[in-house]
Amino acid sequence: MTWSEMQPLLEQACTETLIMVGWSTLIAVAGGLPLGILLVLTDKGGLLQNTLVNKVIGQIVNIGRSMPFIILMVALTSFTRWITGTSIGSEAAIVPLAVSGIPFFARLVETAVREVDHGLVEAVQAMGGNTWTIVRKVLVPESLPSLIASTTTTVIALIGYSAMAGAVGGGGLGDFAVRYGYQRFDSELMWITVAILAVVISVIQFAGDYAARALHRRGGRSGPSPRLRLLKAKEPAAADIGKVA
């Protein structure tokens, strides 16, 4: 196959992979973020401590993470056909990709949120903040660098899953590599596909690391939040008043 014949097919495969990974990442983040936060809030000592809810959500997440993607993709064939009207192609692959990405991202979110200094939570509670305020003003902003890193990890994992989806008719670079490289014994196409995936993953990893470091320098865990700084600033003043009295 000449380059002029291969180029449009390769461009189409790259576009399909970007669409699959992009949409599945958005769904995974939208579903995994609240699940991960809920796992922290309902855990022992959490703001919404509920052992039953925590165990149920945790078990669902564990089952979703433990299932191999190929098996999950086959198991969700009927559900995928009901959602998209088909069980093959890049649009159909978005469904199992998103389902596998949600529990994966949820566990990463749980780890990131648990690293937030509990003193910040207590400070906002002392100022009358409710659970929603703590989540919105403390847990998410303070864990944002780690959440960005978690999103990067999820995107890279979904790229790998999308290649497996392509091997069973999901479209994208995986389908291109199997159909035009493996089945036609064209090792050059195989290596070109591998090189493209390596470059894409490297770029995504670099962008994610850069964004996480930038957010960490601007705030995050590099220092106490403005609310806590304000609280600490008032303590010496109160002590000085006591000395004067």
Side-chain angles (χ1 to χ4, degrees):
M1 181 180 292
T2 62
W3 173 252
S4 59
E5 297 173 331
M6 180 177 63
Q7 184 177 0
L9 296 173
L10 189 58
E11 290 176 352
Q12 181 182 355
C14 291
T15 301
E16 290 176 348
T17 296
L18 291 175
I19 291 174
M20 285 190 294
V21 175
W23 278 107
S24 58
T25 299
L26 289 175
I27 298 172
V29 171
L33 181 61
L35 273 181
I37 294 175
L38 198 58
L39 282 169
V40 176
L41 294 179
T42 58
D43 199 6
K44 184 177 180 180
L47 298 174
L48 301 175
Q49 180 176 332
N50 190 314
T51 303
L52 178 61
V53 172
N54 185 268
K55 287 185 177 181
V56 170
I57 297 175
Q59 192 62 33
I60 293 173
V61 170
N62 289 338
I63 293 173
R65 290 186 62 199
S66 63
M67 189 171 296
F69 178 73
I70 291 294
I71 297 176
L72 179 65
M73 191 173 184
V74 175
L76 292 176
T77 299
S78 299
F79 179 69
T80 301
R81 190 181 294 113
W82 178 69
I83 294 292
T84 64
T86 181
S87 59
I88 59 174
S90 57
E91 291 184 2
I94 294 174
V95 176
L97 283 171
V99 171
S100 65
I102 288 173
F104 182 86
F105 186 68
R107 281 300 184 192
L108 296 177
V109 170
E110 180 188 11
T111 302
V113 173
R114 286 190 189 281
E115 294 176 358
V116 175
D117 186 3
H118 193 66
L120 299 177
V121 176
E122 293 177 347
V124 177
Q125 280 183 312
M127 289 183 284
N130 56 23
T131 302
W132 170 243
T133 301
I134 291 171
V135 171
R136 188 166 54 92
K137 297 292 187 180
V138 178
L139 296 183
V140 173
E142 290 295 323
S143 62
L144 194 55
S146 294
L147 292 178
I148 295 296
S150 299
T151 303
T152 303
T153 303
T154 303
V155 171
I156 293 174
L158 290 176
I159 290 175
Y161 292 162
S162 71
M164 287 189 283
V168 291
L173 289 171
D175 180 62
F176 176 83
V178 171
R179 185 182 303 180
Y180 299 102
Y182 176 75
Q183 294 180 351
R184 297 188 181 188
F185 303 100
D186 191 336
S187 58
E188 182 181 354
L189 283 180
M190 291 286 293
W191 284 111
I192 288 175
T193 305
V194 171
I196 291 174
L197 288 172
V199 170
V200 170
I201 289 174
S202 298
V203 170
I204 292 173
Q205 187 67 62
F206 173 80
D209 291 344
Y210 178 82
R213 287 195 299 268
L215 286 171
H216 188 79
R217 287 194 297 267
R218 289 180 57 186
R221 299 188 184 89
S222 60
S225 67
R227 291 177 180 271
L228 191 59
R229 285 199 297 266
L230 180 61
L231 190 66
K232 288 183 176 180
K234 292 180 179 180
E235 291 176 354
D240 291 340
I241 292 173
K243 289 180 181 179
V244 173

